[in-house]
PDB file of all heavy atoms in Angstrom:
ATOM      1  N   ARG A 388     -46.012  50.315  47.233  1.00 83.00           N
ATOM      2  CA  ARG A 388     -44.673  49.735  47.422  1.00 83.00           C
ATOM      3  C   ARG A 388     -43.581  50.792  47.270  1.00 83.00           C
ATOM      4  O   ARG A 388     -42.498  50.663  47.819  1.00 83.00           O
ATOM      5  CB  ARG A 388     -44.440  48.624  46.408  1.00 83.00           C
ATOM      6  CG  ARG A 388     -44.800  47.242  46.936  1.00 83.00           C
ATOM      7  CD  ARG A 388     -44.001  46.172  46.243  1.00 83.00           C
ATOM      8  NE  ARG A 388     -42.582  46.256  46.550  1.00 83.00           N
ATOM      9  CZ  ARG A 388     -41.612  45.891  45.726  1.00 83.00           C
ATOM     10  NH1 ARG A 388     -41.894  45.426  44.546  1.00 83.00           N
ATOM     11  NH2 ARG A 388     -40.348  45.982  46.080  1.00 83.00           N
ATOM     12  N   MET A 389     -43.891  51.825  46.464  1.00 84.00           N
ATOM     13  CA  MET A 389     -42.876  52.850  46.210  1.00 84.00           C
ATOM     14  C   MET A 389     -42.427  53.521  47.496  1.00 84.00           C
ATOM     15  O   MET A 389     -41.254  53.855  47.652  1.00 84.00           O
ATOM     16  CB  MET A 389     -43.432  53.917  45.251  1.00 84.00           C
ATOM     17  CG  MET A 389     -43.415  53.515  43.805  1.00 84.00           C
ATOM     18  SD  MET A 389     -41.778  53.137  43.188  1.00 84.00           S
ATOM     19  CE  MET A 389     -41.030  54.750  43.127  1.00 84.00           C
ATOM     20  N   THR A 390     -43.387  53.736  48.427  1.00 79.00           N
ATOM     21  CA  THR A 390     -43.032  54.439  49.663  1.00 79.00           C
ATOM     22  C   THR A 390     -42.095  53.599  50.528  1.00 79.00           C
ATOM     23  O   THR A 390     -41.413  54.120  51.388  1.00 79.00           O
ATOM     24  CB  THR A 390     -44.300  54.777  50.472  1.00 79.00           C
ATOM     25  OG1 THR A 390     -45.014  53.558  50.675  1.00 79.00           O
ATOM     26  CG2 THR A 390     -45.181  55.776  49.741  1.00 79.00           C
ATOM     27  N   GLN A 391     -42.089  52.301  50.294  1.00 79.00           N
ATOM     28  CA  GLN A 391     -41.282  51.404  51.133  1.00 79.00           C
ATOM     29  C   GLN A 391     -40.028  50.910  50.418  1.00 79.00           C
ATOM     30  O   GLN A 391     -39.262  50.147  50.994  1.00 79.00           O
ATOM     31  CB  GLN A 391     -42.128  50.159  51.497  1.00 79.00           C
ATOM     32  CG  GLN A 391     -43.335  50.444  52.360  1.00 79.00           C
ATOM     33  CD  GLN A 391     -42.927  50.897  53.741  1.00 79.00           C
ATOM     34  OE1 GLN A 391     -42.048  50.317  54.355  1.00 79.00           O
ATOM     35  NE2 GLN A 391     -43.555  51.959  54.217  1.00 79.00           N
ATOM     36  N   ILE A 392     -39.852  51.362  49.190  1.00 82.00           N
ATOM     37  CA  ILE A 392     -38.875  50.658  48.355  1.00 82.00           C
ATOM     38  C   ILE A 392     -37.446  50.721  48.897  1.00 82.00           C
ATOM     39  O   ILE A 392     -36.685  49.780  48.779  1.00 82.00           O
ATOM     40  CB  ILE A 392     -38.953  51.154  46.905  1.00 82.00           C
ATOM     41  CG1 ILE A 392     -38.328  50.121  45.989  1.00 82.00           C
ATOM     42  CG2 ILE A 392     -38.291  52.503  46.697  1.00 82.00           C
ATOM     43  CD1 ILE A 392     -39.008  50.021  44.682  1.00 82.00           C
ATOM     44  N   PHE A 393     -37.094  51.832  49.546  1.00 80.00           N
ATOM     45  CA  PHE A 393     -35.741  51.926  50.096  1.00 80.00           C
ATOM     46  C   PHE A 393     -35.682  51.453  51.546  1.00 80.00           C
ATOM     47  O   PHE A 393     -34.619  51.394  52.125  1.00 80.00           O
ATOM     48  CB  PHE A 393     -35.229  53.360  50.008  1.00 80.00           C
ATOM     49  CG  PHE A 393     -34.949  53.779  48.605  1.00 80.00           C
ATOM     50  CD1 PHE A 393     -35.702  54.760  48.000  1.00 80.00           C
ATOM     51  CD2 PHE A 393     -33.930  53.182  47.879  1.00 80.00           C
ATOM     52  CE1 PHE A 393     -35.450  55.144  46.695  1.00 80.00           C
ATOM     53  CE2 PHE A 393     -33.671  53.554  46.572  1.00 80.00           C
ATOM     54  CZ  PHE A 393     -34.436  54.540  45.977  1.00 80.00           C
ATOM     55  N   ALA A 394     -36.855  51.181  52.131  1.00 66.00           N
ATOM     56  CA  ALA A 394     -36.863  50.808  53.544  1.00 66.00           C
ATOM     57  C   ALA A 394     -37.144  49.330  53.740  1.00 66.00           C
ATOM     58  O   ALA A 394     -36.866  48.783  54.792  1.00 66.00           O
ATOM     59  CB  ALA A 394     -37.917  51.622  54.280  1.00 66.00           C
ATOM     60  N   SER A 395     -37.633  48.669  52.721  1.00 44.00           N
ATOM     61  CA  SER A 395     -38.163  47.328  52.919  1.00 44.00           C
ATOM     62  C   SER A 395     -37.120  46.313  53.355  1.00 44.00           C
ATOM     63  O   SER A 395     -37.444  45.310  53.953  1.00 44.00           O
ATOM     64  CB  SER A 395     -38.838  46.846  51.644  1.00 44.00           C
ATOM     65  OG  SER A 395     -37.953  46.955  50.579  1.00 44.00           O
ATOM     66  N   PHE A 396     -35.858  46.572  53.058  1.00 40.00           N
ATOM     67  CA  PHE A 396     -34.842  45.588  53.417  1.00 40.00           C
ATOM     68  C   PHE A 396     -34.047  46.022  54.645  1.00 40.00           C
ATOM     69  O   PHE A 396     -32.989  45.505  54.934  1.00 40.00           O
ATOM     70  CB  PHE A 396     -33.903  45.340  52.235  1.00 40.00           C
ATOM     71  CG  PHE A 396     -34.652  44.865  51.039  1.00 40.00           C
ATOM     72  CD1 PHE A 396     -34.454  45.461  49.806  1.00 40.00           C
ATOM     73  CD2 PHE A 396     -35.585  43.853  51.144  1.00 40.00           C
ATOM     74  CE1 PHE A 396     -35.156  45.029  48.706  1.00 40.00           C
ATOM     75  CE2 PHE A 396     -36.291  43.428  50.036  1.00 40.00           C
ATOM     76  CZ  PHE A 396     -36.073  44.021  48.817  1.00 40.00           C
ATOM     77  N   ARG A 397     -34.561  47.038  55.346  1.00 37.00           N
ATOM     78  CA  ARG A 397     -33.876  47.476  56.554  1.00 37.00           C
ATOM     79  C   ARG A 397     -34.395  46.720  57.762  1.00 37.00           C
ATOM     80  O   ARG A 397     -35.580  46.408  57.835  1.00 37.00           O
ATOM     81  CB  ARG A 397     -34.104  48.966  56.782  1.00 37.00           C
ATOM     82  CG  ARG A 397     -33.147  49.812  55.998  1.00 37.00           C
ATOM     83  CD  ARG A 397     -33.459  51.268  56.202  1.00 37.00           C
ATOM     84  NE  ARG A 397     -32.503  52.061  55.466  1.00 37.00           N
ATOM     85  CZ  ARG A 397     -31.385  52.535  55.992  1.00 37.00           C
ATOM     86  NH1 ARG A 397     -31.106  52.314  57.246  1.00 37.00           N
ATOM     87  NH2 ARG A 397     -30.551  53.232  55.271  1.00 37.00           N
ATOM     88  N   GLN A 398     -33.502  46.508  58.711  1.00 31.00           N
ATOM     89  CA  GLN A 398     -33.942  45.889  59.950  1.00 31.00           C
ATOM     90  C   GLN A 398     -34.470  46.987  60.870  1.00 31.00           C
ATOM     91  O   GLN A 398     -34.341  48.175  60.574  1.00 31.00           O
ATOM     92  CB  GLN A 398     -32.765  45.189  60.621  1.00 31.00           C
ATOM     93  CG  GLN A 398     -32.329  43.964  59.844  1.00 31.00           C
ATOM     94  CD  GLN A 398     -31.116  43.313  60.457  1.00 31.00           C
ATOM     95  OE1 GLN A 398     -30.354  43.955  61.162  1.00 31.00           O
ATOM     96  NE2 GLN A 398     -30.945  42.045  60.159  1.00 31.00           N
ATOM     97  N   GLY A 399     -35.069  46.558  61.992  1.00 30.00           N
ATOM     98  CA  GLY A 399     -35.685  47.515  62.908  1.00 30.00           C
ATOM     99  C   GLY A 399     -34.728  48.572  63.428  1.00 30.00           C
ATOM    100  O   GLY A 399     -35.107  49.709  63.656  1.00 30.00           O
ATOM    101  N   ASP A 400     -33.452  48.204  63.606  1.00 32.00           N
ATOM    102  CA  ASP A 400     -32.505  49.181  64.147  1.00 32.00           C
ATOM    103  C   ASP A 400     -31.898  50.059  63.058  1.00 32.00           C
ATOM    104  O   ASP A 400     -31.014  50.852  63.328  1.00 32.00           O
ATOM    105  CB  ASP A 400     -31.389  48.457  64.901  1.00 32.00           C
ATOM    106  CG  ASP A 400     -30.572  47.565  63.991  1.00 32.00           C
ATOM    107  OD1 ASP A 400     -30.908  47.474  62.780  1.00 32.00           O
ATOM    108  OD2 ASP A 400     -29.608  46.964  64.470  1.00 32.00           O
ATOM    109  N   GLY A 401     -32.373  49.886  61.840  1.00 36.00           N
ATOM    110  CA  GLY A 401     -31.890  50.764  60.780  1.00 36.00           C
ATOM    111  C   GLY A 401     -30.642  50.272  60.086  1.00 36.00           C
ATOM    112  O   GLY A 401     -30.177  50.882  59.143  1.00 36.00           O
ATOM    113  N   SER A 402     -30.090  49.153  60.534  1.00 37.00           N
ATOM    114  CA  SER A 402     -28.886  48.681  59.856  1.00 37.00           C
ATOM    115  C   SER A 402     -29.254  47.983  58.555  1.00 37.00           C
ATOM    116  O   SER A 402     -30.291  47.348  58.462  1.00 37.00           O
ATOM    117  CB  SER A 402     -28.124  47.712  60.765  1.00 37.00           C
ATOM    118  OG  SER A 402     -28.930  46.596  61.008  1.00 37.00           O
ATOM    119  N   PRO A 403     -28.427  48.134  57.558  1.00 37.00           N
ATOM    120  CA  PRO A 403     -28.765  47.552  56.280  1.00 37.00           C
ATOM    121  C   PRO A 403     -28.642  46.031  56.274  1.00 37.00           C
ATOM    122  O   PRO A 403     -27.824  45.477  56.976  1.00 37.00           O
ATOM    123  CB  PRO A 403     -27.733  48.156  55.329  1.00 37.00           C
ATOM    124  CG  PRO A 403     -26.578  48.474  56.211  1.00 37.00           C
ATOM    125  CD  PRO A 403     -27.146  48.810  57.544  1.00 37.00           C
ATOM    126  N   THR A 404     -29.446  45.401  55.514  1.00 37.00           N
ATOM    127  CA  THR A 404     -29.302  43.951  55.363  1.00 37.00           C
ATOM    128  C   THR A 404     -29.563  43.600  53.904  1.00 37.00           C
ATOM    129  O   THR A 404     -29.777  44.451  53.069  1.00 37.00           O
ATOM    130  CB  THR A 404     -30.259  43.219  56.317  1.00 37.00           C
ATOM    131  OG1 THR A 404     -30.019  41.825  56.193  1.00 37.00           O
ATOM    132  CG2 THR A 404     -31.708  43.495  55.991  1.00 37.00           C
ATOM    133  N   ARG A 405     -29.531  42.356  53.569  1.00 36.00           N
ATOM    134  CA  ARG A 405     -29.627  41.954  52.178  1.00 36.00           C
ATOM    135  C   ARG A 405     -30.929  41.245  51.881  1.00 36.00           C
ATOM    136  O   ARG A 405     -31.508  40.626  52.747  1.00 36.00           O
ATOM    137  CB  ARG A 405     -28.478  40.985  51.851  1.00 36.00           C
ATOM    138  CG  ARG A 405     -27.191  41.677  51.739  1.00 36.00           C
ATOM    139  CD  ARG A 405     -26.097  40.766  52.194  1.00 36.00           C
ATOM    140  NE  ARG A 405     -24.917  41.563  52.476  1.00 36.00           N
ATOM    141  CZ  ARG A 405     -24.042  41.922  51.560  1.00 36.00           C
ATOM    142  NH1 ARG A 405     -24.187  41.505  50.340  1.00 36.00           N
ATOM    143  NH2 ARG A 405     -23.018  42.662  51.868  1.00 36.00           N
ATOM    144  N   GLU A 406     -31.289  41.299  50.621  1.00 36.00           N
ATOM    145  CA  GLU A 406     -32.483  40.595  50.205  1.00 36.00           C
ATOM    146  C   GLU A 406     -32.162  39.108  50.187  1.00 36.00           C
ATOM    147  O   GLU A 406     -31.138  38.698  49.676  1.00 36.00           O
ATOM    148  CB  GLU A 406     -32.868  41.055  48.802  1.00 36.00           C
ATOM    149  CG  GLU A 406     -34.153  40.455  48.349  1.00 36.00           C
ATOM    150  CD  GLU A 406     -34.400  40.771  46.889  1.00 36.00           C
ATOM    151  OE1 GLU A 406     -33.540  41.372  46.234  1.00 36.00           O
ATOM    152  OE2 GLU A 406     -35.467  40.391  46.422  1.00 36.00           O
ATOM    153  N   VAL A 407     -33.048  38.312  50.751  1.00 31.00           N
ATOM    154  CA  VAL A 407     -32.809  36.873  50.814  1.00 31.00           C
ATOM    155  C   VAL A 407     -32.738  36.311  49.397  1.00 31.00           C
ATOM    156  O   VAL A 407     -33.580  36.606  48.559  1.00 31.00           O
ATOM    157  CB  VAL A 407     -33.934  36.185  51.602  1.00 31.00           C
ATOM    158  CG1 VAL A 407     -33.761  34.676  51.572  1.00 31.00           C
ATOM    159  CG2 VAL A 407     -33.951  36.683  53.035  1.00 31.00           C
ATOM    160  N   GLY A 408     -31.727  35.536  49.166  1.00 35.00           N
ATOM    161  CA  GLY A 408     -31.623  34.856  47.877  1.00 35.00           C
ATOM    162  C   GLY A 408     -31.022  35.707  46.785  1.00 35.00           C
ATOM    163  O   GLY A 408     -30.803  35.247  45.690  1.00 35.00           O
TER     164      GLY A 408
END
Side-chain angles (χ1 to χ4, degrees):
Chain A
R388 267 207 66 210
M389 280 301 289
T390 55
Q391 295 293 315
I392 200 145
F393 290 113
S395 54
F396 302 131
R397 276 177 178 267
Q398 290 177 337
D400 63 357
S402 63
T404 184
R405 286 148 198 275
E406 185 188 5
V407 175

